[in-house]
């Protein structure tokens, strides 16, 4: 199932995440997915078999820590384990990188880079 991107999201900064969420019942999953799909920064969210959450969001305005907080607010938790922790750390790193790249103002290669003001 594919959904068109929301008009407000910047395509180059969309991040796709796959997380395993535990502790949510069927009704909680339905409410959670509906809330995510109505969030202004989330492009698309869906539940896959095995309680897997597939979500695409705008990395310039939203990040993985806010998603984890929202999961906890609904009574769920991320799957525990070494690999899940490693993947979460990678997601946090790439979210920070995307936000930094979105704020970066490019300059021409043949010019001197802009100087930082003190």
């Amino acid at each position: 199932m594919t959904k068109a991107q929301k008009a407000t999201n910047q395509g180059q900064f969309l991040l796709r995440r796959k997380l395993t969420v535990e502790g949510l019942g069927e009704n909680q999953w339905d409410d959670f997915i509906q809330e995510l799909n109505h969030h202004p920064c989330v492009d698309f969210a869906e539940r896959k078999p095995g309680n897997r959450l597939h979500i695409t969001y705008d990395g310039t305005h939203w990040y993985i820590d806010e998603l984890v907080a929202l999961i906890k607010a609904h009574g769920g938790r991320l799957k525990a384990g070494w690999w899940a922790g490693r993947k979460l750390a990678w997601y946090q790193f790439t979210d920070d990188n995307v936000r930094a790249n979105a704020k970066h103002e490019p300059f021409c290669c043949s010019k001197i880079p802009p100087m930082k003001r003190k």
Side-chain angles (χ1 to χ4, degrees):
M1 180 176 181
T2 308
K3 181 184 168 206
Q5 293 180 2
K6 292 180 181 177
T8 58
N9 291 337
Q10 300 174 1
Q12 67 270 27
F13 298 118
L14 286 178
L15 300 173
R16 291 167 190 82
R17 303 292 187 234
K18 298 176 184 178
L19 300 167
T20 303
V21 179
E22 299 174 334
L24 293 178
E26 291 297 321
N27 291 337
Q28 290 172 314
W29 265 107
D30 294 340
D31 294 340
F32 181 57
I33 295 297
Q34 184 177 9
E35 182 178 341
L36 285 176
N37 280 322
H38 286 94
H39 193 283
C41 297
V42 174
D43 190 52
F44 183 65
E46 68 179 335
R47 178 186 182 191
K48 294 286 187 172
N51 291 332
R52 305 243 325 145
L53 173 65
H54 288 211
I55 184 168
T56 304
Y57 61 88
D58 185 355
T60 59
H61 295 88
W62 215 51
Y63 51 100
I64 194 76
D65 294 333
E66 290 179 342
L67 176 60
V68 171
L70 192 60
I71 291 170
K72 288 180 182 178
H74 278 270
R77 64 188 176 284
L78 293 181
K79 182 179 177 180
W82 180 85
W83 182 248
R86 180 70 114 177
K87 191 162 67 166
L88 181 61
W90 177 253
Y91 286 163
Q92 290 168 335
F93 172 77
T94 54
D95 282 7
D96 290 341
N97 197 16
V98 165
R99 273 194 308 280
N101 287 337
K103 293 177 185 175
H104 177 70
E105 294 182 21
F107 58 89
C108 181
C109 297
S110 63
K111 293 182 181 178
I112 298 173
M115 304 303 252
K116 292 183 180 179
R117 295 182 182 177
K118 294 182 180 181

